[in-house]
Amino acid sequence: MMNSESAPYVFGLSNQLSVSDYLHMQTLEPSRIACLSLSAANTIIAEKDLWESLAHLLIYTAGRVYEHCTRISAPSSYAIIRSQLYELMQESEELRSSITAANYIQSRTFLSRSSIMKILAELKKGSYITTERGLLLQIKQGIPLKY
């Protein structure tokens, strides 16, 4: 999984020149979704002169992709997990209460479950995070940059 977005958000406008059959969207909480063809969306953008809004969306999307790539290419598993924990804390309470920290991290990285669980256990033992039944409740203090 690349990232999560909160409503309202428009998906699909940033990859207009490529075939993206490998991409899919999954909702993790109840959602209302509308679908519009790319040509219809581009017509509306042109007719309503929404180019500036489209530019803002594309800049935001490019930034999110860059952040994601930076996070998952961090030099260590620990740095990746640390980053993902902070990202999980930014998610809605509803989402955080429905997915364990380990599952959240594993779904967004290529890390093994055992390495994720080991680091989460150490962070909990060091009182950096609070979890209950695997759910992240709180980051108590700044998680150290180094393991």
Side-chain angles (χ1 to χ4, degrees), residues 36-51:
L36 187 62
S37 72
L38 186 57
S39 61
N42 285 332
T43 299
I44 293 169
I45 290 166
E47 288 176 354
K48 304 283 185 182
D49 196 26
L50 297 172
W51 299 109

Side-chain angles (χ1 to χ4, degrees), residues 10 34 38 56 58 63 70 81-82 99 107 128:
V10 178
L38 186 57
H56 287 278
L58 296 178
T70 301
I81 291 168
R82 179 184 184 278
I99 188 168
S107 72
Y128 293 103

Side-chain angles (χ1 to χ4, degrees), residues 60-120:
Y60 172 80
T61 302
R64 291 283 286 164
V65 169
Y66 176 78
E67 288 172 14
H68 173 75
C69 291
T70 301
R71 281 192 308 271
I72 66 165
S73 63
S76 69
S77 297
Y78 175 79
I80 294 170
I81 291 168
R82 179 184 184 278
S83 167
Q84 290 295 312
L85 287 170
Y86 279 108
E87 189 170 310
L88 177 54
M89 283 305 296
Q90 297 302 312
E91 298 286 3
S92 70
E93 179 66 35
E94 184 177 0
L95 177 61
R96 284 198 341 261
S97 66
S98 69
I99 188 168
T100 65
N103 286 344
Y104 182 88
I105 294 166
Q106 194 171 21
S107 72
R108 289 163 168 75
T109 68
F110 298 107
L111 300 175
S112 70
R113 183 165 188 77
S114 61
S115 65
I116 294 168
M117 295 300 287
K118 178 184 176 218
I119 292 171
L120 289 176

Side-chain angles (χ1 to χ4, degrees), residues 2-77:
M2 191 146 174
N3 68 330
S4 301
E5 294 297 342
S6 299
Y9 188 79
V10 178
F11 289 95
L13 293 176
S14 61
N15 55 338
Q16 293 192 27
L17 302 178
S18 65
V19 176
S20 56
D21 294 338
Y22 57 91
L23 294 175
H24 68 277
M25 183 173 21
Q26 175 184 0
T27 63
L28 300 175
E29 30 188 297
S31 305
R32 290 182 60 190
I33 300 171
C35 190
L36 187 62
S37 72
L38 186 57
S39 61
N42 285 332
T43 299
I44 293 169
I45 290 166
E47 288 176 354
K48 304 283 185 182
D49 196 26
L50 297 172
W51 299 109
E52 185 175 354
S53 295
L54 176 61
H56 287 278
L57 175 68
L58 296 178
I59 290 167
Y60 172 80
T61 302
R64 291 283 286 164
V65 169
Y66 176 78
E67 288 172 14
H68 173 75
C69 291
T70 301
R71 281 192 308 271
I72 66 165
S73 63
S76 69
S77 297

